[in-house]
Amino acid sequence: MSNTLQEVDARKLSCPLPILRAKKALDGMDQGQVLRILATDPGSVMDFESFCKQTGNELLSSEQNGGEYVFQIRKK
Amino acid sequence: MSTQAEKSSASLPGDLLKHGAALDAWFDQRFADKLKEIEENKTPSLSIISTKGTMDWAYPPFILASTAAALGWEVNVFFTFYGLELLKKDLHLEVSALGNPGMPMKMPFGPKWFQGINWNIPNLVMAGVPGFEKVATGLMKKTVKNSGVASIQELRDVCIEAGVNLLACQMTVDLFGYTRDDFIPEIKGWVGAATFLPIARKSDVSLFI
């Protein structure tokens, strides 16, 4: 089980694309690996929280840097 | 559920069985735990009836269906009447501002102050100027692109890839004289209300759009 960090750049994308792109990336990852997502959609803060709660993936962090949001999700 | 409960109480020691209140409390607790367990292990499901064939109305069903699929839900969408347009091989969806007072009329180009203007265009103009819908559709597509919103085609592809069940209304096909060749091959079934209703009945979320 490696922790290779994968990244999805969902900046400038609107709902539901950040979630859909993240889901697609997670599908191609191994259990325990961490996905980093960059987004600019303010709605994605709540959406990723809900996404992780529903899918069982672990939301490691959710941060805001200026107008950008960074999420880290560990695949279940 | 009752079989399960009987079996559980049968395995209780004899002296506890004599105490009705204790047994009731035990059963209530066990029942609550079991319900919670069932709820947690259940795959949520969504069923949508999609009835509109314009570009603006194409978004809600495809956004909700693709997102639900991403959440791991089981999704069924029943396309009926004008909703069938959304399953055509070639998508030619347009948007009409006429008779739609809720639709802002803004320009997706130019300086910010210009883009902020909500153009108040009289119905008479919208109805009478040839090609008005084509222009409105073009502007809407540009706005969608500028805002990073997915195209309908993209959302539909995600739905197909994620295993959303796309169901087409056979009656509408006959009514409007379509042929099945007009539609994408990924349609899971050509069905009627009698097929869709039992699916909707079992769904946790059921929407008419």
Side-chain angles (χ1 to χ4, degrees), chain B residues 60-72:
Chain B
F62 282 132
I63 287 178
L64 292 167
S66 58
T67 306
L71 293 177

Side-chain angles (χ1 to χ4, degrees), chain A residues 12 14 16 21 23-24 51 54, chain B residues 67 70 73 147-148 154 161:
Chain A
K12 305 245 194 265
S14 291
R21 296 275 159 88
K23 158 80 175 152
K24 197 168 183 183
F51 170 77
Q54 282 271 313
Chain B
T67 306
W73 294 22
S147 323
E154 188 175 2
E161 202 181 315

Side-chain angles (χ1 to χ4, degrees), chain B residues 97-117:
Chain B
L98 182 64
N100 188 359
M103 182 176 155
M105 296 291 285
K106 293 183 176 180
M107 296 300 158
F109 46 75
K112 209 168 176 156
W113 64 264
F114 181 74
Q115 291 196 32
I117 299 173

